């Protein structure tokens, strides 16, 4: 195939394919001594022995193999599951009571009313501010001192704050009470509770932001100007029903009189995103009905016996499905749903998350996976605390305590079990943050990968499935396998 | 935390951490209007929506997650296995008969004798050549025509070739007969059969290469010089016992009078490689005893019932463990063992494989995973065939037919079932090669990845476990669960 004279100096490489480099013209000279050309012409190390980084082989093929193995092993588990349980997906089998739907619908309309009440409170405050302004202009009290100003403002804010606090707290108390005592179905309960918490956060942001706007209106200060963006809608013009309605539907939890807006609504974009929401919701529903529920159910015995090896095995098996549901749910909510909503509202800032999957520190996970909540915490809790002299580390801990309460509210209330596991989970983030912070700052790639692995293990492979197991276990311990709630509460 | 004047133009990025960018000097101005700074200052797309390739986020975190999921899911299967079967590893339980060991040991010493016989044949041929040479010099027959030379040489070669053919074929027939009829243990059988095939290939290479050397010695031709490397040991000086012994132990199947050699033996390198061989062998043994054997055993019913879904499920489960054993075995044999052997023999060319895991075409897999055999096929089968005018494609097919026979010999004889599945597997490579060749040549990355996936699926995920199942099934059908071989043959 090659004349031995040329082969001697050439290395045999996989791309020196017989068929390719055998030119008909060379065949005559190659005819002689085919069995003799020097295959082993030079000393050469094996490619896996070779420590020289320039000659290291690529391992891209093993990455492809890894993806393939993940797909195949999960396909296999799906076949195993279908052979064991048959098809468990059933649309008519959903066990919710008429009472759940009625209370759910009622709350769905009642909760936003608290935003309306907040509007009326702000409307009264704005009237008051306008008359104060008129009086101030008349008396032309230029000599009045800054401290007196502040005291006057604080007295007025005190009563407004009480009104807002009563309104907001009532929203949360009413919704949580109804969900805890009268809505049995945990899915409906979670949606209602989440709605109530979102509206509660919006009411708080609306009240705080308007307080600052009012202060800036009454006592303008050239050294701290308002953001230029807000100039198109100055206080008190922003206290209007249309402005509030926009905030009510906008995909954000922090109130601004004006938001960056897009030019027009791209309806194809909206429909694509909504199709994603629909597709992913169905996928998640199938995944939980077919894979998570039987898994949770047959984990109960192991949990009750406190067999550690078995619990580990169940948590590991559950972690795949919970991770899948979590990733699909994240995409459906933060990418598809919020983008669709933002498009319809022509809301410009679509940064609902950043690339949290690459984080090396748990801190960055919490600042990047859920930007709407992070923005609320930053603007209305952390930053005011720090500006009042609270040390930043303490303020961070307080943010996590607050966030822990919200998480417990969102998980414990709809499942009718205030276990404080969700709260403890949030508290557990604090030591993890201080453990992983050095890894993010480290220069070495290994440290960053280690931080990323700690994040995935602590959060997705251990935290979530363990919490799901605990709440499911508590639910079953309280209600048995199906809803006995009705007999108990009514 | 930030004064609203500065925030307005800045984007909130995950690395703008509260604790980091709050300078004490800014606290005084930041004090006012904490609840007011513009969080949403600019329009911006979500990072997963962003189609602009320069702003695409990295997905490195998901790669880490993938590795983690593979580790966790296989750890879980290991827990499940240990709960189901307990520890299956047992050193004293190995069921081999005294007869197997005796015949195995006999063949271990008998097989290399065929190399010695080949040496004596070549020694006689060399004597003959030397006397021919002396006669030629005396008669000084310069006018003799080339055709006569050739005819003379062919006549001599004919008898030498017959002697070699008888010797080599006897080696293969004796070893295969003993293994098939008298050695029950498939492990011992495989080792002996592989030894016999390796020595057979070496004898063939020795005979062919020395024929060409002899021709070059008798009728030197300046237009086709021998490789320079061979000059240090010209024919017939290479026909010596020490030269043959080196070829016998050298990690190659192609005979060269001289090989590239290293300066010295690095004993630490040898010990490291041997430690790898030992460690990997134990790992493979544990993996097959604990994971593969129970899996194969409980696949038997599904195989017998021809339940397609179950067979698929078993093949998928088996593919993980067979892939693991295959990769570990490849590394143990081609990287660790052959490198250790080469180091001890001071054999320079360590290219026993190249990066076959990245191949996009099945063709490149077969030219790169097992270089010793590939070199043999190329030098002693493909290239002589092509130089005699056989079309390259036909020569390639003939190489695969020959390789198929060798594979069947190595699998079918030790398992006492000539099923032709290994042969069919090799034949199946030919259409796969013509299917995947265009993918390797394609410029697009997707085509290359597709080719790589076809390789992994066809070879490691389907081919190997299916073949293992078939031979295991046939073995069990013939012998039941343990060795009834003895009653049958004796």
């Amino acid at each position: 195939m090659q004349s031995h004279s040329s082969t001697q100096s050439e290395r045999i490489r996989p791309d020196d394919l017989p068929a390719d480099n055998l030119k008909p013209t060379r065949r005559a000279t190659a005819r002689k001594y085919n069995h003799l050309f020097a295959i082993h012409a030079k000393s050469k190390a094996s490619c896996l022995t070779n420590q020289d980084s320039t000659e290291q082989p690529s391992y891209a093929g093993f990455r492809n193999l890894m993806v393939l193995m993940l797909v195949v092993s999960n396909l296999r588990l799906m076949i195993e599951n279908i052979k064991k349980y048959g098809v468990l997906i059933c649309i008519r089998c959903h066990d919710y009571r008429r009472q759940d739907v009625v209370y759910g619908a009622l709350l769905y309309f009642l909760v936003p009313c608290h935003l309306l009440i907040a509007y009326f409170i702000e409307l009264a405050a704005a009237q008051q501010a306008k008359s104060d302004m008129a009086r101030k202009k008349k008396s032309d009290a230029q000599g009045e001192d800054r401290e007196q100003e502040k005291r006057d403002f604080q007295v007025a804010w005190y009563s407004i704050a009480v009104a807002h606090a009563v309104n907001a707290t009532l929203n949360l108390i009413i919704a949580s009470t109804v969900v805890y005592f009268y809505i049995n179905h945990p899915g409906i309960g979670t949606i209602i509770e989440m709605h109530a918490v979102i509206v509660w956060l919006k009411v708080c942001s609306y009240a705080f932001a308007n307080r600052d706007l009012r202060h800036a209106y009454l006592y303008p200060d050239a050294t701290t100007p308002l953001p230029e963006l807000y100039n198109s809608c100055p206080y008190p013009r922003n206290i209007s029903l249309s402005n509030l309605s926009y905030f009510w539907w906008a995909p954000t939890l922090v109130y601004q009189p004006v938001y960056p807006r897009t030019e027009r609504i791209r309806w194809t974009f909206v429909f694509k995103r909504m199709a994603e929401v629909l597709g992913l919701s169905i996928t998640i529903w199938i995944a939980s009905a077919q894979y998570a529920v039987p898994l949770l159910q047959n984990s109960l015995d192991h949990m009750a016996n406190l067999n550690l090896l078995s619990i580990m095995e169940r948590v590991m098996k559950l972690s795949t499905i919970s991770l899948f549901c979590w990733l699909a749910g994240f995409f459906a909510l933060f990418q598809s749903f919020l983008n669709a909503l933002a498009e319809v509202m022509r809301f410009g800032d679509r940064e609902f998350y950043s690339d949290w999957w690459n984080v090396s520190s748990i801190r960055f996970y919490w600042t990047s996976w859920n930007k709407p909540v992070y923005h609320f915490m930053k603007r209305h809790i952390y930053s005011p605390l720090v500006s009042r002299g609270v040390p930043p580390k303490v303020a961070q801990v307080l943010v996590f305590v607050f966030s822990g309460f919200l998480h417990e509210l969102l998980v414990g209330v709809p499942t009718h079990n205030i276990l404080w596991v969700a709260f403890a989970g949030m508290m557990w983030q604090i030591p993890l943050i201080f453990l992983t912070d050095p890894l993010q700052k480290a220069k070495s790639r290994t440290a960053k990968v280690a931080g990323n692995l700690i994040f995935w293990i602590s959060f997705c492979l251990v935290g979530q499935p363990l919490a799901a197991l605990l709440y499911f276990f508590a639910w079953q311990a309280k209600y048995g396998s199906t809803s006995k709630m009705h007999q108990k509460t009514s």
Side-chain angles (χ1 to χ4, degrees), chain A:
Chain A
M1 57 169 294
Q2 288 170 306
S3 74
H4 48 254
S5 53
S6 75
T7 336
Q8 188 169 9
S9 57
E10 277 172 37
R11 275 213 29 267
I12 315 299
R13 289 175 46 227
D15 40 345
D16 286 349
L17 266 193
D20 296 338
N21 67 353
L22 190 86
K23 302 287 179 304
T25 49
R26 290 175 66 189
R27 217 174 267 169
T29 56
R31 179 78 191 250
K32 234 173 168 182
Y33 309 152
N34 285 309
H35 299 289
L36 208 52
F37 60 82
I39 289 273
H40 305 290
K42 286 205 290 197
S43 284
K44 186 164 194 310
S46 303
C47 68
L48 290 175
T49 307
N50 216 328
Q51 296 302 312
D52 187 356
S53 63
T54 56
E55 290 199 30
Q56 278 273 37
S58 150
Y59 295 103
F62 286 121
R63 190 202 52 208
N64 297 338
L65 176 63
M66 233 158 58
V67 177
L68 201 63
M69 290 309 295
L70 268 184
V71 170
V72 166
S73 62
N74 285 297
L75 265 180
R76 188 190 72 78
L77 290 174
M78 283 163 83
I79 295 178
E80 203 177 73
N81 168 286
I82 213 92
K83 282 179 60 187
K84 204 163 166 187
Y85 302 110
V87 176
L88 296 177
I89 296 145
C90 164
I91 297 178
R92 284 160 185 268
C93 310
H94 262 270
D95 177 35
Y96 55 82
R97 301 165 309 162
R98 176 171 291 271
Q99 183 188 323
D100 291 0
V101 181
V102 171
Y103 276 108
L106 261 177
L107 279 177
Y108 186 75
F109 292 104
L110 188 68
V111 164
C113 293
H114 292 276
L115 258 180
L116 198 68
I117 296 170
Y119 164 69
F120 287 122
I121 296 169
E122 281 303 322
L123 198 63
Q127 293 300 344
Q128 176 71 28
K130 269 192 264 187
S131 63
D132 278 5
M133 195 66 174
R135 191 152 36 83
K136 238 176 88 181
K137 271 189 184 152
K138 266 190 194 153
S139 65
D140 213 62
Q142 282 177 339
E144 210 171 349
D145 69 322
R146 277 281 168 127
E147 282 307 306
Q148 183 60 36
E149 265 180 19
K150 208 162 188 178
R151 235 171 297 128
D152 287 357
F153 183 80
Q154 286 296 350
V155 169
W157 165 241
Y158 184 74
S159 51
I160 297 165
V162 167
H164 274 306
V166 168
N167 173 42
T169 311
L170 268 180
N171 165 30
L172 217 51
I173 289 178
I174 293 172
S176 300
T177 311
V178 173
V179 169
Y180 192 85
F181 289 109
Y182 302 104
I183 295 184
N184 185 44
H185 194 278
I188 297 173
T190 303
I191 291 168
I192 296 300
E193 189 67 25
M194 192 176 276
H195 184 207
V197 167
I198 288 170
V199 168
W200 184 67
L201 292 173
K202 289 202 183 210
V203 166
C204 293
S205 183
Y206 191 67
F208 284 132
N210 276 314
R211 189 202 69 154
D212 280 3
L213 281 172
R214 194 157 54 245
H215 191 271
Y217 166 73
L218 286 173
Y219 315 105
D221 180 354
T223 61
T224 54
L226 293 183
E228 274 177 45
L229 185 69
Y230 299 176
N231 291 349
S232 64
C233 183
Y235 190 87
R237 238 182 42 210
N238 70 312
I239 307 298
S240 72
L241 265 181
S242 73
N243 185 289
L244 176 74
S245 307
Y246 186 81
F247 177 52
W248 174 23
W249 283 96
T252 179
L253 297 171
V254 295
Y255 176 72
Q256 293 180 192
V258 183
Y259 293 98
R261 301 287 287 272
T262 56
E263 289 291 307
R264 58 186 193 82
I265 304 175
R266 294 168 297 171
W267 285 106
T268 50
F269 180 90
V270 175
F271 288 126
K272 275 183 198 164
R273 297 294 87 78
M274 289 315 292
E276 283 170 6
V277 171
L278 187 71
L280 285 169
S281 304
I282 293 173
T283 310
I284 294 171
W285 172 54
I286 292 176
S288 27
Q290 184 73 39
Y291 304 103
V293 169
L295 202 56
L296 284 164
Q297 262 159 0
N298 64 29
S299 305
L300 286 181
D301 296 337
H302 303 305
M303 289 289 285
N305 299 339
L306 287 175
N307 181 338
L308 189 67
L309 202 66
S310 303
I311 293 179
M312 264 179 65
E313 193 268 339
R314 290 288 94 179
V315 166
M316 280 172 161
K317 186 155 189 181
L318 202 54
S319 67
T320 309
I321 188 75
S322 78
L323 183 66
F324 174 82
C325 290
W326 157 253
L327 291 178
F330 168 81
F331 195 92
L333 190 59
F334 284 84
Q335 167 64 8
S336 306
F337 176 72
L338 288 186
N339 262 295
L341 181 60
E343 189 68 32
V344 170
M345 300 299 290
R346 293 178 33 236
F347 189 82
D349 185 4
R350 311 285 169 88
E351 207 193 26
F352 307 117
Y353 58 88
S354 52
D355 58 339
W356 54 265
W357 46 88
N358 297 325
V359 297
S360 302
S361 160
I362 309 288
R363 175 196 297 279
F364 286 84
Y365 171 71
W366 290 106
T367 60
S368 59
W369 88 275
N370 184 339
K371 290 262 177 184
V373 166
Y374 165 64
H375 288 153
F376 182 92
M377 299 295 187
K378 181 173 165 181
R379 198 205 216 190
H380 298 303
I381 301 185
Y382 177 84
S383 133
L385 281 176
V386 170
S387 76
R388 273 153 207 260
V390 176
K393 300 260 178 215
V394 177
Q396 285 167 28
V397 170
L398 289 175
V399 165
F400 272 91
V401 171
F402 177 70
S403 176
F405 277 111
L406 289 188
H407 275 84
E408 189 61 42
L409 214 59
L410 286 172
V411 178
V413 169
T415 55
H416 316 297
N417 272 307
I418 306 287
L419 298 180
W420 297 99
V421 168
F423 180 80
M426 285 306 291
M427 293 300 98
W428 176 236
Q429 303 307 309
I430 297 165
L432 275 180
I433 283 175
F434 291 106
L435 179 77
T436 52
D437 263 355
L439 295 174
Q440 178 93 29
K441 279 171 199 148
K443 284 270 182 291
S444 98
R445 227 180 86 81
T446 320
K448 286 198 194 297
V449 170
N452 191 241
L453 288 178
I454 291 176
F455 154 66
W456 286 115
I457 292 173
S458 69
F459 183 62
C460 294
L461 296 188
V462 178
Q464 286 199 335
L466 209 58
L469 263 181
L470 283 168
Y471 280 96
F472 188 83
F473 185 60
W475 172 275
Q476 296 280 357
K478 198 165 175 180
Y479 301 115
S481 59
T482 46
S483 59
K484 293 174 196 153
M485 178 71 181
H486 196 250
Q487 297 125 43
K488 195 169 175 272
T489 53
S490 58

